[in-house]
Amino acid sequence: MSSAEYNPFTTAQQQLDEAAGKLGLDKGTREFLRWPQREFVVTLPVRMDDGKVKVFRGYRVQYNSARGPTKGGLRWHPDETIDTVRALAAWMTWKTAVVDIPLGGGKGGVTCNPKEMSQGEQERLARGYVRQVGRILGVTKDVPAPDVYTTPQIMAWMMDEFEAIQEESHPGVITGKPIPLGGSQGRGDATARGGMYTTREAAKKLGIELKGATGAVQGFGNAGQYAALLGEEILGLKIIAASDSRGGIINPAGMDAKALVKHKLETGTVQGFPNTEPISNEDLLELDCTVLFPSALENVIRSNNAGNVKADIICELANGPTTPEADEILAKNKRFVIPDFLANAGGVTVSYFEQVQNTYNYYWPLDLVHERLDEKMTKAFHDVYDMYMKEDVHPRLAAYMVAVRRVADAAKLRGWV
Ligand code: NAD
């Protein structure tokens, strides 16, 4: 990390400081909310297929549990560090608070490259992680879920390992499970779907017609692929560009999202999709379009390119794609940002629905999941929009103010601060 702008945890702390200042929180509360309550770092030896042992670093950060048990995904990524996990755990705390679900925030990760690991190696890593970290997990303690490069299958192995250790059924210990093991209907596309509901509400407020308008998707994994499909289906957008780690493609006339997803799943990349031209990830972010969906990793909209972003609405499906410096520039240029922890809260909301269903052991149909998700996301968007109008601050700060107020109030009621 060459500067503070590139450390996501510094970014998360800066964002909190700004909100805490605006809310006039006392010094003790501010300092308490700037740091994780608990961090767990583990060393994981895994026997690889060649018979040799490889050692991995794993993390679990329980950022804040004032509003309930901590909740948050697990990332398996070569660039994972304790600071990324801390930042993501902080954002989970604000995310569960902004959608007003009775949970706190946490996050975990393993520094590894699952693309270079066999299924067997991934399974041994997943089970090894639970043997180390399982003691701090549980429905009433901390509940993981999938995130970058972790899958429902990995969640299934982890739940199985946890239940083997506990010698009883605990489906709610982890969410994002496959449906036959207690997963919820609608979890697969929940993150992007929630983003669509917030984009729909933002467009209404801003007086923007989305039907036939243009959309661009940066990052074409779980969140990005569903953004393209649902952007078309729910909002009526024409998807003109998409990218992944290998590069991007563009067709100003629009692309068939379903065919593009099929192409990505078959070839592993969006590149080479018929009737498109190549475009770099950097150029995609600066495209003239109505809605931009950053759906890859952190810190892609920075002070050096924010001034060139032309999208009217930036729906941040990725966590932390915009730096605080870039936020100021976007606000000045009247680009409306739906901040990450609001835009992508659909995933954790349906994860919470999954936990609820696991606990009462009775499962909801898909249309009920969609209806309840829409209700939660729409309410959260308007809570934030009302704060944005009332306080005349940029949308991320408004979202922070709503969320931090709720967490600070809970901590105060508990007598912690
Ligand atoms: P994923 O692993 O399914 O997809 C990540 C995608 O990003 C891949 O297509 C990859 O090729 C692409 N990518 C990686 N580096 C890139 C780069 N430098 N430029 C462009 N593309 C790049 O992950 P996901 O689950 O879709 O998560 C994406 C983002 O959304 C993350 O920030 C994650 O934290 C956030 N998010 C996901 C969920 C969820 O439920 N899946 C929930 C909340 C937030």
Side-chain angles (χ1 to χ4, degrees), residues 200-251:
R200 178 194 67 203
E201 295 306 306
K204 276 189 217 160
K205 288 286 184 191
L206 301 170
I208 294 173
E209 173 59 53
L210 291 177
K211 208 165 163 27
T214 51
V217 183
Q218 193 237 8
F220 215 63
N222 175 295
Q225 289 171 27
Y226 282 119
L229 293 169
L230 299 175
E232 219 177 64
E233 184 191 314
I234 298 178
L235 306 176
L237 289 176
K238 188 169 78 171
I239 303 301
I240 58 164
S243 68
D244 56 33
S245 54
R246 297 200 221 162
I249 47 151
I250 177 166
N251 176 351

Side-chain angles (χ1 to χ4, degrees), residues 59-280:
Y59 310 95
R60 187 73 194 167
V61 172
Q62 297 175 339
Y63 196 87
N64 192 290
S65 60
R67 288 173 42 87
T70 48
K71 175 96 192 82
L74 289 174
R75 278 188 179 197
W76 285 9
H77 195 273
D79 300 333
E80 203 64 70
T81 66
I82 187 70
D83 272 341
T84 10
V85 182
R86 283 173 176 154
L88 291 159
W91 290 323
M92 282 308 298
T93 306
W94 316 131
K95 191 184 299 193
T96 52
V98 87
V99 283
D100 203 12
I101 55 182
L103 298 170
K107 204 80 179 189
V110 177
T111 314
C112 68
N113 189 353
K115 286 185 178 172
E116 292 171 358
M117 294 167 70
S118 70
Q119 286 286 293
E121 289 167 345
Q122 293 191 25
E123 177 174 354
R124 291 193 287 281
L125 177 61
R127 292 185 185 278
Y129 183 85
V130 171
R131 283 196 297 277
Q132 287 299 321
V133 178
R135 66 202 75 189
I136 59 162
L137 303 181
V139 191
T140 55
K141 296 180 184 175
D142 182 12
V143 178
D147 201 298
V148 175
Y149 298 154
T150 54
T151 58
Q153 176 62 72
I154 293 172
M155 301 304 112
W157 289 323
M158 289 190 171
M159 181 197 79
D160 182 67
E161 189 67 24
F162 187 83
E163 292 187 340
I165 295 167
Q166 302 285 329
E167 296 184 349
E168 54 190 10
S169 167
H170 283 274
V173 68
I174 199 155
T175 59
K177 300 179 292 294
I179 289 182
L181 291 185
S184 177
Q185 298 284 345
R187 177 62 184 86
D189 70 12
T191 299
R193 183 175 289 273
M196 300 307 131
Y197 295 148
T198 58
T199 304
R200 178 194 67 203
E201 295 306 306
K204 276 189 217 160
K205 288 286 184 191
L206 301 170
I208 294 173
E209 173 59 53
L210 291 177
K211 208 165 163 27
T214 51
V217 183
Q218 193 237 8
F220 215 63
N222 175 295
Q225 289 171 27
Y226 282 119
L229 293 169
L230 299 175
E232 219 177 64
E233 184 191 314
I234 298 178
L235 306 176
L237 289 176
K238 188 169 78 171
I239 303 301
I240 58 164
S243 68
D244 56 33
S245 54
R246 297 200 221 162
I249 47 151
I250 177 166
N251 176 351
M255 301 179 283
D256 175 352
K258 268 201 197 101
L260 179 59
V261 169
K262 187 162 173 274
H263 174 84
K264 164 82 184 173
L265 296 177
E266 280 169 5
T267 65
T269 175
V270 292
Q271 288 183 327
F273 185 62
N275 305 319
T276 60
E277 297 291 323
I279 182 172
S280 69

Side-chain angles (χ1 to χ4, degrees), residues 367-386:
D367 54 354
L368 186 59
V369 172
H370 288 169
E371 189 186 314
R372 289 187 168 158
L373 176 63
D374 195 345
E375 221 171 81
K376 277 275 174 212
M377 297 302 301
T378 299
K379 165 89 169 55
F381 178 84
H382 289 284
D383 288 348
V384 170
Y385 193 83
D386 291 349

